[in-house]
Amino acid sequence: MKRILYMTPLLGLAMSVSAWAGEAAITPAANAAAIELVQSHADYLWTLVAACLVFFMQAGFALVETGFTRAKNAVNILMKNLMDFSIGSLVFWAVGFGLMFGASASGWFGTSGFFLSDFSPEGDPWVLAFWMFQVVFCATAATIVSGAMAERTKFIGYIAYSIVLSALIYPVFGSWAWGSLFNGGGWLEGFGFIDFAGSTVVHSVGGWAALAGAIVLGPRMGKYAKDGTARAIPGHNIPLAALGVFILWLGWFGFNPGSTTVADKSIAMIFVNTNLAAATGAVFAMIVSWLKFGKPEISMSLNGALAGLVGITAGCANVSPTSSIIIGAIAGVLVVFSVLFFDKIKVDDPVGAVSVHGVCGAWGTLAAGIFNMGGTSASIIGVQLLGMGTCFAWTFSMAFVMFKLIDKTIGLRVSPEEEAEGLDFSEHGGNAYPDFSVSAYAQK
């Protein structure tokens, strides 16, 4: 209401000047056109500001992964995050955006819009704002995998993976669920699949690809004892990881509310739901770790916040604040037991990416159907299960084949000597902490 009151004198002044200049008289149609223009500009501004917040999440992911892993691999992790976005942007511009949002008669993938060909200087520039918002989502899906494959992946193999995920794996599934947001129309969204901001489309795609990569790579050296017991390999800088989580929390206020791509009042509830789920996830992960390990464990609590954020992403626009607390609480409990489960079956995931993004992304997608404010039904839940299962089948199978091909061709895993020394020195010829001697650094 305040915004309209403030705007009215400005519109009146502009129209008075216009009338004084001899142009068309003020009419209801002219008023409506002026208001529509202001709303359109606000939509552009909000969408691009939200894209900036989601882009800042790249810094959050980089810090979380760096902090949760050893010092000798910090440069490698930062390089992977940098290239995820840089190479991913170019690939998504050339191929991915067209496959995801291009015109689609079949509902399986887009066939237009490659190389941003939908844009022309004389036409509507909305495609540019929309592309910018979508490319940061693509980068998020790609960078999730980095954490699960940390400390033993060849850099060239990682680049190859990032290209394939950004060009094919993520966009094709995205077209099934979100194609109609632009020029397309996916078969899955036609059934009424609910995934407002991407618990499945972004996070489970990244999580299930991460699972495939971790399986093909195998665990880090020293992760498991001869009897199969998992050993903890502590990260070198928990303050960095904590800062990364807070940055991701902030970025999610662009990720979820920004998915409206409209500057209106609906974003208020999405903000609240997003925050409540994150807070509850952190609290419940802390409680479970306290009961399980005898102490409130920091890494589990940090991942609990991320689990709550991932869990609320699908239903942030269609569940109530109370439901968001329930969703976050379950995600916070789930992530702790999921991390322990994957450790037990010898899937070495240094940062818990599979649990946070894959498992909690699936939970959040199911929860969007269960807690739907418009009512739920067996049909709604069935569609949610269909989307979750389809995502796993498509992403895991494609990623597994991709990683196997990379492993058999250019190579996926570094040598034992390189892994022991650290990927910073062997892959990039330097390190993040030059005060350390090479011999001492290799042990960190």
Side-chain angles (χ1 to χ4, degrees):
M1 185 66 178
K2 288 181 180 179
R3 182 176 60 181
I4 295 172
L5 290 174
Y6 294 153
M7 193 187 309
T8 303
L10 296 176
L11 291 175
L13 176 62
M15 290 178 181
S16 297
V17 171
S18 181
W20 177 78
E23 296 180 8
I26 301 170
T27 64
N31 268 328
I35 292 170
E36 184 179 353
L37 182 62
V38 171
Q39 179 65 56
S40 174
H41 287 183
D43 294 344
Y44 273 81
L45 180 61
W46 167 236
T47 299
L48 292 172
V49 168
C52 291
L53 287 169
V54 180
F55 170 73
F56 193 41
M57 291 173 69
Q58 291 293 313
F61 281 118
L63 293 178
V64 168
E65 186 180 344
T66 302
F68 278 163
T69 54
R70 289 169 288 185
K72 63 185 180 179
N73 299 303
V75 170
N76 176 257
I77 288 163
L78 296 173
M79 280 293 292
K80 289 190 298 180
N81 278 267
L82 175 64
M83 288 301 111
D84 270 335
F85 189 78
S86 301
I87 294 175
S89 291
L90 298 174
V91 171
F92 195 69
W93 162 76
V95 179
F97 184 77
L99 287 176
M100 191 165 177
F101 294 108
S104 174
S106 64
W108 288 96
F109 55 86
T111 57
S112 65
F114 302 106
F115 302 97
L116 268 179
S117 56
D118 286 329
F119 170 70
S120 67
E122 301 80 22
D124 184 359
W126 175 249
V127 64
L128 299 180
F130 185 73
W131 181 88
M132 194 66 230
F133 188 72
Q134 293 300 328
V135 74
V136 291
F137 272 53
C138 179
T140 298
T143 204
I144 287 167
V145 186
S146 176
M149 298 175 66
E151 302 200 293
R152 71 260 201 220
T153 305
K154 276 188 176 182
F155 187 62
I156 186 66
Y158 189 83
I159 288 176
Y161 136 77
S162 189
I163 290 171
V164 175
L165 187 132
S166 300
L168 178 66
I169 297 175
Y170 169 76
V172 168
F173 183 78
S175 74
W176 300 345
W178 284 354
S180 66
L181 293 178
F182 196 62
N183 287 332
W187 66 269
L188 188 56
E189 63 182 334
F191 288 120
F193 181 58
I194 303 168
D195 190 5
F196 184 76
S199 284
T200 284
V201 175
V202 179
H203 294 282
S204 283
V205 165
W208 301 142
L211 176 61
I215 290 172
V216 173
L217 269 176
R220 291 167 291 174
M221 294 189 306
K223 174 63 179 176
Y224 293 96
K226 289 182 179 180
D227 64 358
T229 305
R231 294 191 183 108
I233 302 179
H236 84 283
N237 196 324
I238 295 301
L240 274 187
L243 177 60
V245 169
F246 282 113
I247 289 173
L248 288 169
W249 197 325
L250 172 66
W252 239 283
F253 293 134
F255 204 98
N256 287 359
S259 293
T260 60
T261 65
V262 175
D264 66 11
K265 294 181 289 186
S266 69
I267 64 175
M269 188 183 75
I270 300 173
F271 264 88
V272 170
N273 286 347
T274 300
N275 190 66
L276 287 175
T280 313
V283 169
F284 272 75
M286 178 195 69
I287 292 170
V288 172
S289 70
W290 204 334
L291 295 173
K292 188 78 176 171
F293 310 120
K295 298 288 183 181
E297 210 277 326
I298 181 64
S299 62
M300 287 294 189
S301 302
L302 291 171
N303 269 339
L306 298 181
L309 288 163
V310 171
I312 196 58
T313 296
C316 58
N318 72 290
V319 305
S320 69
T322 300
S323 295
S324 73
I325 290 175
I326 298 170
I327 292 168
I330 294 174
V333 174
L334 192 59
V335 73
V336 176
F337 289 103
S338 178
V339 166
L340 297 175
F341 169 76
F342 283 113
D343 252 0
K344 187 174 182 180
I345 64 171
K346 299 186 178 181
V347 174
D348 183 16
D349 178 0
V351 305
V354 176
S355 299
V356 169
H357 300 279
V359 174
C360 291
W363 156 242
T365 304
L366 180 61
I370 294 173
F371 295 100
N372 181 35
M373 285 193 296
T376 189
S377 66
S379 174
I380 289 173
I381 293 173
V383 171
Q384 296 305 98
L385 290 171
L386 173 64
M388 293 155 55
T390 301
C391 178
F392 181 83
W394 164 256
T395 305
F396 182 82
S397 60
M398 290 293 291
F400 189 84
V401 170
M402 172 190 67
F403 284 124
K404 279 290 189 182
L405 289 174
I406 293 172
D407 189 42
K408 297 298 183 183
T409 52
I410 60 178
L412 190 62
R413 184 162 184 158
V414 298
S415 69
E417 294 76 18
E418 290 172 319
E419 184 177 344
E421 183 179 47
L423 275 61
D424 288 1
F425 193 79
S426 64
E427 291 280 278
H428 307 287
N431 57 67
Y433 304 96
D435 289 341
F436 292 133
S437 66
V438 172
S439 58
Y441 178 72
Q443 301 304 315
K444 290 190 175 286

